Amino acid sequence: MGVTRGRHPWWRGLGAVAAGLLAGVALGPEPAGAATFRIAVGIDPDTMDPVQTTTTTVGNIVDYAVETLTAIDGSGKILPHLALRWTISADGRLYTFRLKAGVRFHDGSPFDAKAVKWNFDRLIDPAVRVPGRAAYPIEKTDVLDPLTVRVTLAHPYAPLLGALSWTTAGLLSPASAGANGNDYKNYVNIVGTGPYALTERRKGESITFAKNAAYWGPPPTYDSVVFRVVPEPTTRESLLLAGQVDLIILPPIADVPALERNPAVKVLLAPSDRTIFVAMNTRKPILSDRRVRQALNYAVDKAAIVKNVLFGAADPMDAPMASSLFGYCPTGTYPYDPARAKALLAQAGVKPGTRLPLLHPSGRYVQDREAAQAIAGYLHEVGLEAPLQTMDWPSYVATITTPVERNTTQLHFLGWAPPFLDASQQMLQFLSTYAPPAGLATSFYANPEVDRLILAAERELHPERRKTLYCEASKRVWEDAPWVFLWVQRFPIVYSARVTNVSSLPNEKFAAIYARPAR
Amino acid sequence: MTRFRWYLAQRLGAAALTLLGVSFIVFLMVRVLPGDPARVIAGVLASEEEVGRIRSQLELDRPLLVQYGIFLGRLAHGSLGVSARTSEPVVREVLGRLPKTIELALASSALATVAGIAAGVIAAAFPYSAFDYLLSLLTLSGVSMPVYWLGLVLIIVFAIDLNWLPAAGAEEAVSIVLPAPTLGAFSLALVARMTRSSVLEVLGQDYVRTARAKGLAERAVLWRHALGNALVPIITAAGLQFGTLLGGAVLTESVFGWPGLGLLLVDSIFARDYPVVQGIVLTFSSLFILTNLLVDLLYAYVDPRIHYG
C-alpha cells in the first residue's frame, strides 16, 4: 500500500455519504499525545508468563510489567537492574547478587532475596514449562540475607548475566501465585516490579498496562500503554497513518521507503541480532565439499538482494553472528564473484544443472520468499538448479530437524536470533552436538576444533579471552562455510512524529517505556 | 410426542452423529499435518529435553486411539481439553472469542439479507432497466472482489483518508462498520442475484396476473405476493451464507484485527494447537448444523404447504 495521497481524492464525497449512512455518526480518532500510548503488534501473546515466553515481541510486552536482575542497553552492554552489583567465584559457579532495596511488586509485596529464590526455583522446576531453560544451568539458589542471594551453577557458565537479562528470567511476585487466575505452573495476570502494571488482557484484541505509581525508577510519561493485536502489517500501517496508534513494528517492508519520506511518522530500522542464512546440509555428498559451500557464498549477491528485495532493511553478514553480540569480530567477506563460484564448482567436479532444492518458510522472516527466489536465481547463474519448496512453519521445522540419516534437505533458508546478546547462543549453530534431534544446528556441521573453542569459551570467565575464543571459532566457521552467509535483518519500528524518545534494543525489541509527546 | 417433536429429535440425533464424525475427521486431520506441536510451542531455542517434556505434558507420546478416547471422554464431560499453546481451557478460549465472531457474522448476514433482497426485488421489478444492469455489475463485482482488497480499500478511504472510523480492532461500537460490509459483500451479491431471478420467475406466474387483475397495488403484488412465494430459495441461500460467514471470516478478521474465532483458528493451526483447532471446528460445525435446522424449520413458516413429521 502506498502512503502518498492525492490532494482531493474522488472518493471523498462518495465516502462521506457512505460512511455517514453506515455509521450514523462521524468519529475522529483519539489524538496522539494523550495519556495513553498505543502500540500495534502482529501477534497475540501465547503466554504472559515470563518463563514460558519464546518470542521477543511477547517479551517486549511482558517487560513493561516484569523486570530482571540485569538488563542490556542499546549497544547490548549488560547493566545492573534489580541487582545492584554481583560477584562471581573464581571457579565461575557461584554468583552472588546484591539486590536493590525498597523495591515492591505491584501487589505491594516486597522484592527481596526470597522472591528471587522462589522465581529461580520455579525456573528450574521440571513441572513448569520453561522452553528456554537450557540457558540457566542453575543448581540451587540460596538466600544469604534479605537483600543478598547466591546462585550456584551446575557448571561454569559465562553467559549467565546475559541470560538473566532475558524476559524468561523476569521476576514475579510469589504472593500473586494463587491470585487472580494465576497458578504456580501458569501465570496469566503477571505481577512484577516494572514501571507499568498489567490491568487488562483481551485475548486477540489488546493488553493494557497502567503506570505503577510506586515505581522505584524514573516514572514514565504516559499514564497507560495499550498493545493492540493487529496481525496484518498493512492494517498496522493504516492505524499509524490514521493516528489511531502511536507505534507499530514490522510494517510492510515494501512501504518503508515511502514511510521514510512521510513527515508524519519516523522510521527506525533498528539493528538486530537476527542472522539470515541458507543452511547447507554438510552431510550430503555435494555439499560436504567445502569448495562447493564457498562457491555458493560467492554466487549470491547479498548487497543487491538487501537493496532491491529488502529495501535496505538488512546488513550483509561479515561474521557468523551479528555485530551486537558479545564475542563478535569481523571475520571476512564473500564478495559477489560468479566467476570464482563457477571455478570452485568445477574444481569440486559439480556438473552444470546439478539440483540443490532450496526449502524456505513463508512470512516468517522479512521478505523470506522473495529473497529465496532471488537466491535461486543467482544459483542458476552459476549453473546450479535450486527449485524452491515453500512450507508453513511447523512443517518446515519438522523437515529441517529430521535426524541426519533421514534428513533429505540440501539447502534451507533460516533465521537465528539469540535472545540475549552473547555469542554462545549463536555458536550453538556450529556445535556438532547441537545437530538435530538434540538441537537445531541444521547444517549438521562438525569441526572438532570449532567444538573445542565454543565449549572452552562457554566456561571461560575472562571476557577478553572469551572473545578471542569466539573470534577463533568464527574464523574457522567462516572458512568452512556451512551456511551461505546472507545478512543481519533490521527490525523496522515506525512511530508517530508526535512522540519522541523511542529507541530500540539490538534483540528485536523497541524501547518505548519512556516515550513522551514531542514538543 | 407430536410428529414435529419427533422430527426435531431425529434431526438433533443426526446432528450429534454428524458431530461425532466431524470430531474424528478433525482429530485425524490435524495429526496428519507434519510438524511437532511440542517443538512449535517450545520455540526453536528449546532443548530436546524440554521439547520432550512438553510432548509428554500434551499427551502426544500416547497412542493415537488412546488420545482420541481421552478427547471423547473429556467431551462427554463438557470439556474440550486445555490449549497446548496457552495452557488455558479450550472452552474458555473458544467462548471468549465466539461472541465477536457471531456479532460479525450476524451484522454481515443482516446487511447481506436486507440489502440483497431489497436490491434483488427492485431489479426484478424493473428488469433490463439501468438499475438492473447496475445491480448486475455491482453483484458481479461483489462475488469476485477479494475480501482482502475490499477491506484494505475501505480502511484507506474511511480510516486513513477521511479519518472517520477505526482502522482495526473491536473496541468501539462503530468498529464493526468496516468489517461487516467487507465480509458481507459476497453474500449480499449472491442474495441479490438469487432474489432477482426467483422474484422474476414468480412474477410470470398466473396468480400474480390475477392479483394485478383484481386491482392490487403494484407494491403489494411485488413485496407480499411475489416475494412471499419466492422466499424459499432465498432463505436457503441466506441461511447457508450465514454458516459460511461464521467460518469464512478468517481473512476479514485478519485484515481488521477482529478478535474472533477465525483468527484464533489460524493461529492455532500454525501452532499445531490440536485441542483448540478441534474445539473451534466442532463449534463451527455445531453452528452450521443448527443454522441448517433453523432454515428447514423456517420453510414451514413461510410456506404453509411444507409440513414436518
Side-chain angles (χ1 to χ4, degrees), chain A residues 48-67:
Chain A
M48 295 291 279
D49 191 341
V51 296
Q52 297 190 48
T53 54
T54 55
T55 43
T56 42
T57 301
V58 176
N60 219 158
I61 297 169
V62 172
D63 290 349
Y64 273 72
V66 177
E67 296 182 297

Side-chain angles (χ1 to χ4, degrees), chain A residues 5 15-16 19 27 29 44 46 54 126 129-131 133 188 203-204 228 232 235 238 242 244 392 394-395 416 419 437 440, chain B residues 35 41-42 44-46 48 50 53 84 86 88 93 97 148 155 158-159 161 163-168 174 255 259 270 272:
Chain A
R5 285 176 263 144
L27 292 179
D44 189 30
D46 49 352
T54 55
R129 183 192 287 181
V130 186
R133 187 162 7 229
V188 286
K203 286 213 165 181
R228 293 182 59 183
E232 180 52 47
T235 311
S238 301
Q244 294 172 12
D392 78 315
S395 314
W416 190 259
L440 279 154
Chain B
I41 287 156
V44 288
L45 292 164
E48 188 57 22
E50 200 56 43
R53 202 173 284 141
T86 67
E88 292 197 50
E93 295 273 351
R97 303 284 195 103
Y148 188 84
I155 288 175
F158 295 107
D161 208 75
N163 226 332
W164 286 353
L165 293 164
V174 289
V255 172
F270 283 127
R272 299 289 189 267

Side-chain angles (χ1 to χ4, degrees), chain A residues 1 5 9 11-12 15-20 22-23 25-29 44-47 52 54 126-134 166 186 188 202-206 226 228-232 234-235 237-239 241-242 244 392-395 397-398 416-419 425 434 437-440, chain B residues 33-36 39-50 53-54 57-58 83-88 92-93 96-97 100 111 148 152 155-172 174 177-178 181 253-260 263-264 267 269-272:
Chain A
M1 189 187 72
R5 285 176 263 144
W11 60 58
R12 262 188 197 281
V17 175
L22 286 167
V25 285
L27 292 179
D44 189 30
D46 49 352
T47 179
Q52 297 190 48
T54 55
V128 182
R129 183 192 287 181
V130 186
R133 187 162 7 229
W166 192 15
N186 188 35
V188 286
R202 291 185 186 195
K203 286 213 165 181
E205 195 174 352
S206 62
V226 176
R228 293 182 59 183
V229 179
V230 185
E232 180 52 47
T234 316
T235 311
E237 183 185 26
S238 301
L239 278 167
L241 294 175
Q244 294 172 12
D392 78 315
W393 183 245
S395 314
V397 173
W416 190 259
Q425 300 301 297
Y434 196 65
L440 279 154
Chain B
L33 289 174
D36 177 1
R39 169 53 75 187
V40 177
I41 287 156
V44 288
L45 292 164
S47 66
E48 188 57 22
E49 188 191 353
E50 200 56 43
R53 202 173 284 141
I54 292 173
Q57 279 170 3
L58 300 177
S83 161
R85 207 162 58 99
T86 67
S87 306
E88 292 197 50
R92 196 191 297 164
E93 295 273 351
R97 303 284 195 103
K100 283 288 169 205
L111 181 74
Y148 188 84
L152 289 181
I155 288 175
I156 294 170
V157 176
F158 295 107
I160 300 184
D161 208 75
L162 295 166
N163 226 332
W164 286 353
L165 293 164
E171 281 158 358
E172 304 163 48
V174 289
V177 172
L178 295 183
E253 289 185 4
S254 178
V255 172
F256 290 99
W258 186 263
L263 214 50
L264 181 64
D267 282 351
I269 290 172
F270 283 127
R272 299 289 189 267

